[in-house]
Amino acid sequence: MSDPTTAPRPTLEAVAARAGVSRATVSRVVNGGDGVREPLVERVRQAVEELGYVPNQAARSLVTRRHDAVAVVIAEPETRVFTDPFFALQLRGISKELTLHDCQLVLLLTEGRDDHARVGRYLAGGHVDGALVFSLHLDDPLPGLIRGAGVPTVFGGRPCWADGSRGTAPTVYVDSDNRGGAREAVRHLASLGRTRIAHIAGVLDQTSAVDRLDGYRDVMLDADPRLIVEADFTPAGGERAMRELLGRFPDLDAVFAANDLMAAGALRVLRAVGRRVPEDVALIGFDDMLPVAEQTDPPLTTVRQDIEQMGRLMARLLLRGLERRGGEAAGTPGGTPSSVVLPTTLVRRASA
Amino acid sequence: MSDPTTAPRPTLEAVAARAGVSRATVSRVVNGGDGVREPLVERVRQAVEELGYVPNQAARSLVTRRHDAVAVVIAEPETRVFTDPFFALQLRGISKELTLHDCQLVLLLTEGRDDHARVGRYLAGGHVDGALVFSLHLDDPLPGLIRGAGVPTVFGGRPCWADGSRGTAPTVYVDSDNRGGAREAVRHLASLGRTRIAHIAGVLDQTSAVDRLDGYRDVMLDADPRLIVEADFTPAGGERAMRELLGRFPDLDAVFAANDLMAAGALRVLRAVGRRVPEDVALIGFDDMLPVAEQTDPPLTTVRQDIEQMGRLMARLLLRGLERRGGEAAGTPGGTPSSVVLPTTLVRRASA
């Protein structure tokens, strides 16, 4: 055995010479062997072994798919992850894409924010090649912990700092055009002749909720701010907000809710107080969450975002980023994948 | 450096002598350092390094809570994990218990059985201290892969080999008294004067389904075997089975379904064909899955098992086992935790 404290460290070039292949081939093999023919892979592996070659620290940290595992972190308590179908849909997309690449989905569940330090420790512990993180909240310690863990990360939903306020490493995220979708919904309500259009907002410490509110405001320039009630993306929250709004504006004639679950809650309240939808009050949701949006009575007009596709894209961007990092380590040109903002579509059903 | 192929392997005793501490202290440091003062930890670490001490394979596998993480593996595709509330409930119990011990829940999701080899690799990769495995099927490769991975494991539901047919390491599991619960349900139907009692069984490659069928047979000794239809624990499966049974026995007067989701499906079919429940057909489910069991019309009489508690117990048994293994490694007496079978209760609502 060579003594690492005295013997000169074998170089990539030495391995290439020993194996009779190019430097790039050695690099590719060391980084996972993609696209290298099996006999060459074998020769390189043998040379690596004979020389006791160890990739240097920087290169090692760039070696891709060491664990063939990707962590998914949802910044919500376990109970919400399993009751809001949004997360199941996003996970479905992620699971399909990771499985396609034989990469293990490692879902890190928590009871709440107090557990995020532990999630950070697990991420830093070298158990995964990268992380997919979604449902971030404004004052969440998670982003800092993830940066500290040093794992490549793709975010679901635009993180609040991605507007350019923090001058850190480029943030890669997948988002929907929340503001544009909200604008289209409210414009549609206005086109129906509705004038007292209320908005049930999501939790405003999330950019998706803020962007949808901004889209509402883009159209309702002079609206009474009391037409806006913040809720929490749950059906119960939608019910409470709807009661609050009816108390403030008994004559309101339209509601745009920031997701379908809250719209479903609002619908129950409207029905309970005898308002017909859409005749008395037109109602639009957001997500096109099935079966929720189709099974309400009347079925919901809503802004469709492709949640499963968002999950797939997150996984794809992360895996591509890992490959490129590997490519960079191997001396081939790479680049950071860019964020993606998916378009939304207004789906007209019976509620507006 | 010592050459492991020729030099005698340094012992724990040699490390203790070099560090000037007791054997137990070395063991504690090697197993995580709990309760050892920092200067002693440092001395032991130095001695370990100088002698090139490597804990032997058996002792290493006994090192406790190295990662403060426990894997959860559900032998079902991701889609089922997120649509059957049974899994969410069991995960809730597991999550609460692990969080209480500041231990990270690592949920390994798959698209299906083809991915179990990858799960096995992850478990063997040294990323978790132990595993909680549930919803095993008879011909599942998972148990073999888990044994191969060598991680301490607690099973949810009795694995088929735990009856003593395989002479391997003792299997620790948490289960409900499925057979006893089923017996109580069918006895209750008989006590109502019902004589043509059918059974909608779960997938019979799972012990929970087999045990509930056995409980039915315990009471219905001479029943026509055509009164039994195997389904798949889903509402749609319950519907299909109910139609099948009504085709075979138009005069049946009671049904025991092996879970609430199938009972809910059966109820829809009974209503669609104009049978009154419980007047014409008495119906009993299994699980007491809320809100399913309470929201059917009429609400379901069912056999309650405490699913969340099963999850908590699984986690508790695993953590206790890890602690004891640590104790054994440190020379203190330990023992293997025993399996637990929880009692069930018949919850009477309106359907029987």
Side-chain angles (χ1 to χ4, degrees):
Chain A
M1 280 171 78
S2 65
D3 182 345
T5 57
T6 56
R9 198 173 183 134
T11 60
L12 194 73
E13 285 74 14
V15 175
R18 181 88 159 215
V21 300
S22 73
R23 199 181 166 286
T25 300
V26 174
S27 184
R28 271 203 294 278
V29 171
V30 168
N31 291 315
D34 284 348
V36 181
R37 283 180 300 119
E38 192 48 46
L40 287 190
V41 170
E42 202 33 62
R43 262 158 65 193
V44 170
R45 287 210 178 122
Q46 205 173 326
V48 161
E49 211 163 278
E50 285 166 10
L51 295 174
Y53 171 73
V54 179
N56 70 48
Q57 200 55 35
R60 269 171 95 179
S61 77
L62 294 172
V63 170
T64 63
R65 310 270 311 259
R66 282 180 303 154
H67 304 293
D68 276 328
V70 163
V72 174
V73 184
I74 305 176
E76 303 284 352
E78 164 275 324
T79 44
R80 253 212 88 199
V81 172
F82 277 88
T83 49
D84 189 333
F86 182 91
F87 301 115
L89 273 174
Q90 202 145 13
L91 280 167
R92 182 154 313 158
I94 291 170
S95 177
K96 280 183 184 161
E97 191 68 23
L98 292 182
T99 297
L100 210 61
H101 294 84
D102 202 19
C103 189
Q104 182 58 48
L105 196 172
V106 173
L107 178 58
L108 302 179
L109 289 174
T110 67
E111 289 288 302
R113 203 169 290 193
D114 291 348
D115 306 323
H116 286 177
R118 195 179 61 230
V119 167
R121 284 201 299 277
Y122 196 78
L123 290 177
H127 303 300
V128 292
D129 302 317
L132 300 171
V133 179
F134 50 95
S135 207
L136 280 182
H137 296 261
L138 200 58
D139 56 344
D140 205 312
L142 204 49
L145 293 165
I146 290 166
R147 259 195 300 278
V151 287
T153 301
V154 171
F155 293 90
R158 188 184 82 254
C160 56
W161 67 84
D163 305 315
S165 47
R166 294 194 207 177
T168 52
T171 298
V172 181
Y173 62 85
V174 174
D175 204 356
S176 287
D177 181 10
N178 291 303
R179 188 165 180 164
R183 261 198 306 253
E184 196 180 356
V186 182
R187 273 201 201 110
H188 176 65
L189 292 170
S191 78
L192 298 173
R194 309 293 164 132
T195 52
R196 289 168 304 286
I197 304 174
H199 178 47
I200 301 178
V203 202
L204 291 171
D205 69 349
Q206 297 197 291
T207 59
S208 58
V210 172
D211 291 356
R212 290 170 204 175
L213 171 59
D214 284 345
Y216 167 86
R217 282 182 173 145
D218 287 343
V219 183
M220 302 288 288
L221 289 169
D222 305 314
D224 187 331
R226 293 169 60 248
L227 279 165
I228 299 159
V229 172
E230 180 178 352
D232 62 356
F233 284 130
T234 70
E239 288 184 20
R240 279 191 297 273
M242 192 68 245
R243 278 200 205 91
E244 177 81 26
L245 285 167
L246 285 170
R248 292 181 190 172
F249 299 93
D251 60 343
L252 63 81
D253 57 11
V255 177
F256 166 52
N259 76 345
D260 291 341
L261 295 179
M262 293 196 296
L267 189 57
R268 273 199 293 274
V269 170
L270 289 167
R271 166 174 284 181
V273 301
R275 306 288 167 105
R276 293 167 305 161
V277 174
E279 294 83 349
D280 302 327
V281 179
L283 176 65
I284 299 188
F286 203 106
D287 280 343
D288 196 26
M289 180 79 71
L290 301 180
V292 178
E294 278 181 346
Q295 289 184 355
T296 52
D297 179 17
L300 273 183
T301 292
T302 187
V303 180
R304 173 159 220 269
Q305 58 172 343
D306 193 336
I307 303 166
E308 184 175 327
Q309 178 65 2
M310 287 173 73
R312 289 197 86 125
L313 273 178
M314 284 174 71
R316 208 173 290 164
L317 284 181
L318 181 66
L319 292 174
R320 201 179 295 163
L322 293 174
E323 276 162 27
R324 289 201 180 159
R325 284 174 159 235
E328 275 171 29
T332 58
T336 310
S338 306
S339 295
V340 176
V341 177
L342 295 169
T344 59
T345 330
L346 185 70
V347 178
R348 292 199 56 184
R349 295 199 183 87
S351 70
Chain B
M1 279 170 80
S2 65
D3 181 343
T5 57
T6 56
R9 200 173 182 134
T11 60
L12 194 73
E13 285 74 14
V15 176
R18 181 86 159 216
V21 300
S22 73
R23 201 180 165 287
T25 300
V26 174
S27 183
R28 272 202 295 277
V29 171
V30 169
N31 290 314
D34 285 349
V36 181
R37 285 180 298 118
E38 191 47 47
L40 286 189
V41 171
E42 201 33 61
R43 261 157 66 191
V44 170
R45 289 212 175 120
Q46 204 173 327
V48 162
E49 211 163 281
E50 284 165 11
L51 294 175
Y53 171 73
V54 179
N56 70 48
Q57 201 55 36
R60 268 171 95 180
S61 76
L62 294 173
V63 171
T64 63
R65 305 279 305 265
R66 283 179 304 155
H67 305 293
D68 277 328
V70 163
V72 174
V73 184
I74 305 176
E76 303 284 352
E78 165 273 325
T79 43
R80 252 212 90 200
V81 172
F82 277 89
T83 49
D84 188 333
F86 182 91
F87 301 116
L89 273 174
Q90 201 145 12
L91 280 167
R92 183 153 313 160
I94 291 171
S95 176
K96 280 184 185 161
E97 190 68 22
L98 291 181
T99 297
L100 210 61
H101 293 85
D102 201 20
C103 190
Q104 183 57 47
L105 195 172
V106 173
L107 178 59
L108 302 179
L109 289 174
T110 68
E111 289 288 303
R113 203 169 290 191
D114 291 347
D115 307 322
H116 286 176
R118 195 180 61 230
V119 167
R121 284 201 301 277
Y122 196 78
L123 291 177
H127 303 301
V128 292
D129 302 316
L132 300 171
V133 179
F134 51 94
S135 207
L136 280 183
H137 296 261
L138 200 58
D139 56 344
D140 205 312
L142 205 50
L145 292 164
I146 290 165
R147 260 195 300 277
V151 287
T153 301
V154 171
F155 293 90
R158 188 184 81 256
C160 56
W161 67 84
D163 306 315
S165 47
R166 296 193 205 177
T168 54
T171 298
V172 181
Y173 61 84
V174 174
D175 205 355
S176 286
D177 180 11
N178 290 304
R179 189 166 181 163
R183 261 198 306 253
E184 195 180 356
V186 182
R187 275 203 200 107
H188 175 66
L189 291 170
S191 77
L192 298 173
R194 310 292 164 132
T195 52
R196 289 170 303 286
I197 305 174
H199 178 47
I200 301 178
V203 202
L204 291 171
D205 69 348
Q206 298 197 289
T207 58
S208 58
V210 172
D211 290 356
R212 290 170 204 175
L213 172 59
D214 284 346
Y216 167 86
R217 283 183 172 141
D218 287 343
V219 183
M220 302 287 290
L221 289 169
D222 305 313
D224 187 330
R226 293 170 59 248
L227 279 165
I228 300 159
V229 172
E230 179 178 354
D232 62 356
F233 283 132
T234 71
E239 288 184 21
R240 279 191 297 274
M242 192 67 244
R243 278 200 205 92
E244 177 81 28
L245 285 167
L246 286 170
R248 293 182 191 171
F249 299 94
D251 60 343
L252 63 81
D253 57 10
V255 176
F256 166 53
N259 75 347
D260 291 341
L261 295 179
M262 293 195 297
L267 188 57
R268 274 198 292 273
V269 170
L270 289 167
R271 165 174 284 180
V273 301
R275 306 288 167 105
R276 292 168 306 160
V277 174
E279 294 83 350
D280 303 326
V281 180
L283 177 65
I284 299 188
F286 203 107
D287 280 343
D288 195 26
M289 180 78 71
L290 301 182
V292 178
E294 277 181 347
Q295 288 183 356
T296 52
D297 178 18
L300 273 183
T301 292
T302 188
V303 181
R304 172 159 220 270
Q305 58 171 342
D306 193 338
I307 303 165
E308 184 175 329
Q309 177 66 3
M310 287 173 74
R312 288 197 86 124
L313 273 177
M314 285 175 71
R316 210 174 289 164
L317 283 181
L318 181 66
L319 293 174
R320 202 180 295 163
L322 292 174
E323 277 162 27
R324 289 201 181 159
R325 282 169 162 241
E328 275 171 28
T332 58
T336 309
S338 306
S339 296
V340 177
V341 177
L342 295 168
T344 58
T345 330
L346 186 69
V347 178
R348 292 201 55 185
R349 295 200 182 89
S351 71

